[in-house]
């Protein structure tokens, strides 16, 4: 006999991937209000600063929570960012960026799908490609650590920690949602 939990893990993996792929499509389609509906009320959206360090200090490569960060947002801040884009008040998004998100190496780190309210910790890699106007072109690579929470039979994003590979960001702005 095989592993009795293998089918459940496979189904959870599939559901998690489908959620992340759908979320990427929502963002790439600029359906930002719909994206806000995929977040929990207590969302923590965080992107630390990465530094080049020696091998001896690799544990200090990323800033820690509470320290300096590119993003350290809650739901109110994310709503404000989205509203600025939708109302044309974000100069960096008028005209709007064209984006494509590639989500890969999705791994369920912990959690299960057995009971309502469960949280699932997910690690994934991403590439976010952005072009704007005639000559602006950016590409960010990194990994994400997400916590997905089951709400009303589906997933909602409760936490996203974004770790860029770049230590120097050459983009003119960081208006994109990762």
């Amino acid at each position: 006999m095989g592993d009795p939990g293998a089918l459940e893990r496979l189904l959870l993996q599939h559901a998690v991937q489908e959620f992340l792929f759908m979320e990427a499509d929502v963002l790439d389609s600029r359906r930002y209000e719909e994206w806000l509906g995929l977040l929990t009320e207590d969302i923590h959206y965080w992107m630390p600063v990465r530094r080049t360090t020696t091998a001896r200090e690799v544990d200090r490569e990323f800033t820690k929570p509470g320290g300096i960060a590119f993003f350290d947002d809650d739901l109110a801040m994310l709503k404000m960012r989205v509203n600025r884009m939708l109302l044309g008040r974000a100069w960096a998004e008028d005209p709007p960026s064209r984006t494509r998100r590639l989500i890969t190496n999705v791994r369920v780190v912990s959690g299960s799908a057995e009971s309502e309210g469960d949280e699932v910790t997910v690690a994934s890699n991403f590439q976010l490609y952005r072009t704007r106007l005639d000559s602006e072109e950016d590409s960010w690579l990194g990994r994400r650590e997400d916590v997905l929470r089951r709400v009303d039979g589906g997933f909602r994003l409760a936490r996203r920690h974004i770790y860029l590979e770049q230590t120097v960001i050459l983009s003119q702005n960081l208006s994109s949602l990762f």
Side-chain angles (χ1 to χ4, degrees):
M1 281 296 186
D3 180 358
L7 179 59
E8 289 163 7
R9 286 192 304 278
L10 182 64
L11 292 172
L12 176 61
Q13 176 76 24
H14 178 73
V16 164
Q17 288 181 176
E18 287 296 306
F19 175 83
L20 294 177
F21 297 159
M22 177 270 301
E23 180 207 12
D25 182 60
V26 165
L27 287 169
D28 288 338
S29 301
R30 299 187 201 117
R31 299 188 326 255
Y32 301 122
E33 289 176 315
E34 185 178 338
W35 179 74
L36 289 172
L38 300 176
L39 311 178
T40 63
E41 293 291 322
D42 62 341
I43 178 79
H44 184 230
Y45 185 90
W46 181 68
M47 181 191 292
V49 173
R50 184 178 205 155
R51 300 174 285 232
T52 300
T53 62
T54 63
R56 214 174 46 243
E57 296 178 316
V58 74
D59 60 322
R60 298 184 63 227
E61 186 173 20
F62 290 99
T63 56
K64 304 294 181 208
I68 191 169
F70 291 114
F71 302 119
D72 194 358
D73 298 346
D74 59 8
L75 185 59
M77 181 62 78
L78 291 168
K79 283 181 178 179
M80 185 180 78
R81 289 177 60 196
V82 164
N83 285 335
R84 287 184 65 230
M85 285 191 284
L86 293 175
L87 297 173
R89 294 187 182 146
W91 65 266
E93 287 302 320
D94 190 15
S97 295
R98 295 170 299 277
T99 61
R100 191 64 49 208
R101 287 161 181 79
L102 305 176
I103 311 301
T104 186
N105 294 51
V106 177
R107 297 156 326 275
V108 174
V109 177
S110 67
S112 69
E114 295 172 3
S115 64
E116 192 70 22
D118 271 356
E119 289 189 347
V120 179
T121 302
V122 179
S124 63
N125 295 336
F126 71 90
Q127 178 175 13
L128 171 53
Y129 173 80
R130 173 185 170 262
T131 184
R132 185 173 169 273
L133 301 171
D134 293 330
S135 60
E136 287 183 32
E137 190 173 328
D138 298 301
S139 183
W140 296 280
L141 298 166
R143 65 184 167 90
R144 300 187 313 199
E145 295 174 1
D146 295 337
V147 172
L148 304 182
R149 187 178 300 151
R150 277 223 186 258
V151 177
D152 298 328
F155 286 121
R156 297 288 179 265
L157 183 62
R159 186 185 81 203
R160 170 156 292 156
H161 289 182
I162 307 149
Y163 300 91
L164 290 180
E165 292 303 314
Q166 294 95 323
T167 55
V168 176
I169 296 180
L170 301 176
S171 174
Q172 295 186 22
N173 64 65
L174 272 175
S175 60
S176 296
L177 296 164
F178 289 81

